[in-house]
Amino acid sequence: DMECQTRVDQNRVIVSTDPQVNRWAKWIHWSLYAAYFIPFIGLAAPITLWRMKRKQSEFIEEQGKIAVNWMMNLLLYVGMFV
């Protein structure tokens, strides 16, 4: 069953034990909060960090996608309800 195999592949968990990779993934997430201090940096910083480091590790690639997705959803919800 190809459908079953695809479902299993989509639900895999990517983990990193490399401290430097974990540190960059953490900075990508934390950079979202920069918007509280400097307007619009919270938009540019996560995307910039993710694009700089995404080829370094699959873990950073995944975490960057999660952070950017969260940011885009937040902008969408704020735009709809404000």
Side-chain angles (χ1 to χ4, degrees), residues 14 21-32 42-55 57-72:
I14 300 170
V21 168
N22 289 337
R23 193 172 309 119
W24 277 107
K26 195 181 327 178
W27 276 109
I28 290 170
H29 284 285
W30 285 355
S31 67
L32 291 166
L43 301 174
I47 293 172
T48 303
L49 290 173
W50 170 54
R51 295 211 22 116
M52 284 174 29
K53 294 294 183 176
R54 68 182 176 170
K55 302 267 192 243
S57 164
E58 193 175 358
F59 182 70
I60 292 175
E61 171 74 16
E62 186 71 22
Q63 294 302 308
K65 286 178 183 178
I66 291 169
V68 171
N69 184 30
W70 183 84
M71 177 187 57
M72 291 171 59

Side-chain angles (χ1 to χ4, degrees), residues 1-11:
D1 290 309
M2 189 59 135
E3 183 179 331
C4 182
Q5 182 65 36
T6 303
R7 194 174 314 134
V8 170
D9 289 343
Q10 289 176 350
N11 291 327

